Amino acid sequence: MPSSKFSRRQLLLGAAAFSGRLLATAGQAQVESPPAPIYSRDDRWHPVMGVAGMVASQEAIASRVGRSILAAGGNAVDAAVAIGLALAVTLPRAGNLGGGGFMLIHPAATRETIALDYREKAPLAASREMFLDAAGNADPEQSRDSHLAVGVPGTVAGFALALARYGTFTWAEVLQPAIALAEQGFPVSQDLHESLAFARARLSRSPASRAAFFKPDGSLYAIGETLVQPDLARTLRLLASEGPSAFYQGAIALAIADDMAANGGLITQADLARYQPVIRQPVRGRYRGYDIESMPPPSSGGVHLVQMLNLLEPFQLANLGHNSAQTIHLMAESMKLAYADRSRYLGDPDFVPVPVAGLTARRYADQLRSRLNPYQATPSVAIAPGNPQAAQRFESNETTHYSVIDRAGNAVSNTYTLNFSYGTGWMVPGTGILLNNEMDDFSAQPGVPNAYGLIGGEFNAVEPEKRMLSSMTPTLVSRDGQIYFATGSPGGSRIITTVLQVVLNVLEHDLNLAVAAAAPRIHHQWLPDELRVESGLSADTLRLLARRGHTVIERATMGSVQSVGRVGDRFFGAADPRSPGALAIGL
Ligand code: GLY
């Protein structure tokens, strides 16, 4: 039974939810929410404010590039593409040309958000057993560190498509800031200096990476010294003059294919020539009267974000208190149920029948909630994936996220990645392009965890031209068709739970965007059965969670949330204080 320290109201809410009584009111829980003050609360940190647009990214120079595009009359998509290209220069651990990602675009004119999927694909020669050793066991070195680890990159094609359909600037114009940064260099930040120091051994295996990121004697660039990347500058210039096809059919494609052939990789010119980004419908949900739009499969992010919001909405977490033991317990138990489902039902929808409608149905959440004990942690071994088909009717910080909103109300939420920090660490000679190791996001062997400890199933087995399952969760929250805020985060398996907490912090707990980003986070992913927490929770909260049966482990910070929002004619932004180089900047 619950501790007597809980208030009578908490006990009633918990008990009601467990017995199903609260569920009866769930349908009526379309509670008119108060306008959540993403900008107010003068007693706490403020978000950044602007009057004509807002940009937030993990790297300050790239944020300024985005702002300058908006200031020059570009829209949110122009700015987003220019930021993504600039990050490939200034945040090489995650910004990229040789990786892939997802971009949600909300055009203010039509209010029809699209989900642009430019995720990497397995090459044509990939096979189900390619990451198994002679004994039939998964070999992580092959899926993370070798040329076999590389998925066919999608970033250049994705950005080009976004710009062509929704932008107003030319491809050459949005490449210009990145070219200048690569050619003329930029001052090495503390963040870049430290991440290069951390990745030095991994990067030094590749002669091109070593030459690009370290001095001739192998030493690090000091903070404030200028880093020039001539090979990358040449590649960017080629993209500007010949267009994105240079990457997929021209000189860059040839360089990638040659490097693959020389190092046991699988990607050929044919793989690159066949790569196509896909425009998909976002996953949609509702929470307290706000519309949630997020990334559909092949990301698991949107599906499980909506699933967890559905599970949690009837609990009235605001009454239980932000980051109280009771609230954290309910979030953790919801996370376990969602991640168990992820292990079975998520994969590339072009290859496997992902039951998106079932997983995001309120009716399914109602069923799952009956398995959620509001008082005591259910051991993960006692949790199996649910049965969403029945409802079908109805860190590390390897990735990076940025958000943009412009004067007209166009908004972009973009998360892209090389998977690990600097991907494989391998740079294609002469190009400045770092290769991703995204193939590790497939399940090398059903039931064997990947680098994030995530268990995958048959649906996420390797197949030629399949997209590997992701957790990236670029998200837009709107009301009456108008964007309220855009958010997202890096963090591997922690991305989905990080975004969940930002959305809850604003919509449920009434925190502004800055406080929502800064507040301590928790994470549970079903397996391993541990409740990971950041520092900053009170000792008695941790004690109460342990008493409920959670194995609580305090670890490093999770995620790097970059959010922008709008209320009326004012724009707001918040860069995650966990990332020292991040910047939200308004216009
Ligand atoms: N590579 C991390 C993800 O896509 O979720």
Side-chain angles (χ1 to χ4, degrees):
M1 281 304 288
S3 145
S4 57
K5 288 196 181 92
F6 286 111
S7 73
R8 187 176 148 67
R9 177 160 179 75
Q10 283 172 325
L11 294 179
L12 284 174
L13 284 167
F18 193 42
S19 68
R21 274 183 289 126
L22 187 62
L23 308 188
T25 63
Q28 301 141 26
Q30 303 306 333
V31 188
E32 257 319 289
S33 57
I38 59 173
Y39 61 93
S40 67
R41 299 285 175 104
D42 25 11
D43 56 338
R44 292 186 281 185
W45 302 323
H46 283 278
V48 173
M49 206 188 101
V51 294
M54 183 64 60
V55 169
S57 93
Q58 207 177 322
E59 199 286 315
I61 297 171
S63 290
R64 291 197 184 94
V65 164
R67 185 190 185 279
S68 71
I69 297 276
L70 292 182
N75 70 15
V77 176
D78 299 321
V81 173
I83 292 168
L85 294 165
L87 286 170
V89 184
T90 60
L91 189 78
R93 71 170 191 258
N96 68 80
L97 300 178
F102 302 116
M103 183 183 283
L104 286 195
I105 300 175
H106 175 88
T110 62
R111 297 182 166 189
E112 283 170 14
T113 301
I114 63 103
L116 174 58
D117 166 1
Y118 58 96
R119 179 73 161 165
E120 300 94 323
K121 294 176 80 161
L124 285 160
S127 63
R128 193 185 163 84
E129 297 83 23
M130 66 186 281
F131 296 122
L132 302 184
D133 64 17
N137 297 318
D139 179 353
E141 204 180 311
Q142 294 301 311
S143 63
R144 296 171 200 174
D145 297 330
S146 79
H147 274 61
L148 292 177
V150 186
V152 182
T155 295
V156 172
F159 285 177
L161 181 61
L163 191 74
R165 291 252 182 126
Y166 299 98
T168 63
F169 278 29
T170 66
W171 178 241
E173 283 169 340
V174 294
L175 272 158
Q176 215 44 55
I179 292 171
L181 286 164
E183 237 161 37
Q184 294 156 30
F186 63 94
V188 170
S189 63
Q190 178 192 331
D191 184 61
L192 178 57
H193 176 84
E194 283 171 6
S195 88
L196 285 171
F198 185 76
R200 188 187 331 216
R202 189 171 171 76
L203 287 168
S204 295
R205 296 173 311 164
S206 160
S209 294
R210 198 166 54 232
F213 296 126
F214 302 97
K215 293 182 177 174
D217 66 356
S219 62
L220 283 162
Y221 286 91
I223 297 168
E225 282 190 313
T226 301
L227 179 69
V228 179
Q229 298 173 75
D231 286 349
L232 184 55
R234 233 182 351 268
T235 291
L236 292 164
R237 275 208 179 277
L238 196 64
L239 286 173
S241 60
E242 295 189 6
S245 63
F247 193 97
Y248 293 96
Q249 284 147 36
I252 303 168
L254 189 61
I256 294 173
D258 282 352
D259 187 48
M260 286 284 150
N263 293 286
L266 298 182
I267 296 174
T268 62
Q269 287 187 75
D271 282 307
L272 290 156
R274 287 166 67 90
Y275 185 86
Q276 291 293 335
V278 183
I279 290 185
R280 304 186 189 276
Q281 284 300 307
V283 167
R284 294 194 165 88
R286 243 175 119 70
Y287 192 88
R288 303 254 179 268
Y290 288 85
D291 295 308
I292 313 292
E293 294 176 307
S294 192
M295 197 65 212
S299 181
S300 57
V303 165
H304 297 305
L305 173 66
V306 170
Q307 181 185 17
M308 289 187 283
L309 288 171
N310 287 344
L311 270 162
L312 289 167
E313 188 172 31
F315 285 113
Q316 310 288 344
L317 298 181
N319 293 330
L320 304 176
H322 177 252
N323 275 353
S324 66
Q326 178 69 27
T327 292
I328 291 175
H329 169 76
L330 292 169
M331 289 198 296
E333 293 304 290
S334 302
M335 290 170 185
K336 286 184 202 171
L337 293 167
Y339 278 75
D341 280 353
R342 185 189 189 280
S343 74
R344 179 169 299 171
Y345 296 114
L346 269 289
D348 181 346
D350 297 339
F351 284 73
V352 292
V354 183
V356 174
L359 287 163
T360 56
R362 281 183 186 274
R363 190 143 39 106
Y364 179 56
D366 294 344
Q367 279 169 26
L368 279 186
R369 209 178 298 106
S370 65
R371 291 165 49 191
L372 192 161
N373 185 329
Y375 306 129
Q376 214 43 48
T378 302
S380 293
V381 288
I383 294 175
N387 181 16
Q389 279 97 343
Q392 190 71 344
R393 280 196 308 279
F394 47 81
E395 187 151 292
S396 58
N397 292 325
E398 304 81 2
T399 303
T400 190
H401 179 85
Y402 56 90
S403 304
V404 187
I405 185 162
D406 67 22
R407 185 194 298 264
N410 302 299
V412 171
S413 180
N414 187 85
T415 316
Y416 74 151
T417 186
L418 291 164
N419 196 23
F420 282 18
S421 212
Y422 301 95
T424 55
W426 189 268
M427 185 175 280
V428 180
T431 67
I433 296 173
L434 281 164
L435 293 170
N436 70 79
N437 58 351
E438 220 71 62
M439 294 289 283
D440 191 60
D441 276 349
F442 279 118
S443 25
Q445 203 176 29
V448 173
N450 74 356
Y452 303 102
L454 288 169
I455 307 286
E458 288 295 327
F459 274 22
N460 192 30
V462 187
E463 288 185 60
E465 299 213 285
K466 194 180 190 182
R467 284 162 152 88
M468 57 296 287
L469 182 59
S470 171
S471 299
M472 291 188 282
T473 315
T475 296
L476 296 170
V477 176
S478 57
R479 186 139 195 173
D480 303 325
Q482 215 178 68
I483 295 298
Y484 183 39
F485 66 96
T487 192
S489 177
S493 57
R494 281 94 57 191
I495 293 174
I496 317 172
T497 51
T498 293
V499 174
L500 170 75
Q501 287 164 87
V502 173
V503 172
L504 288 173
N505 286 351
V506 175
L507 299 187
E508 179 72 32
H509 298 293
D510 242 10
L511 303 180
N512 75 43
L513 276 187
V515 184
R521 298 181 188 131
I522 64 116
H523 171 75
H524 203 304
Q525 60 181 53
W526 176 49
L527 295 172
D529 192 353
E530 63 184 35
L531 176 57
R532 180 172 166 170
V533 300
E534 293 183 335
S535 63
L537 299 176
S538 70
D540 46 2
T541 302
L542 298 178
R543 246 191 328 270
L544 286 168
L545 287 165
R547 211 180 287 167
R548 282 161 185 257
H550 293 282
T551 303
V552 183
I553 298 183
E554 190 176 305
R555 292 246 194 96
T557 59
M558 296 179 266
S560 172
V561 167
Q562 310 301 331
S563 311
V564 299
R566 180 184 181 185
V567 176
D569 291 334
R570 283 186 292 171
F571 295 85
F572 301 90
D576 200 319
R578 291 163 185 77
S579 296
L583 178 70
I585 184 166
L587 189 65

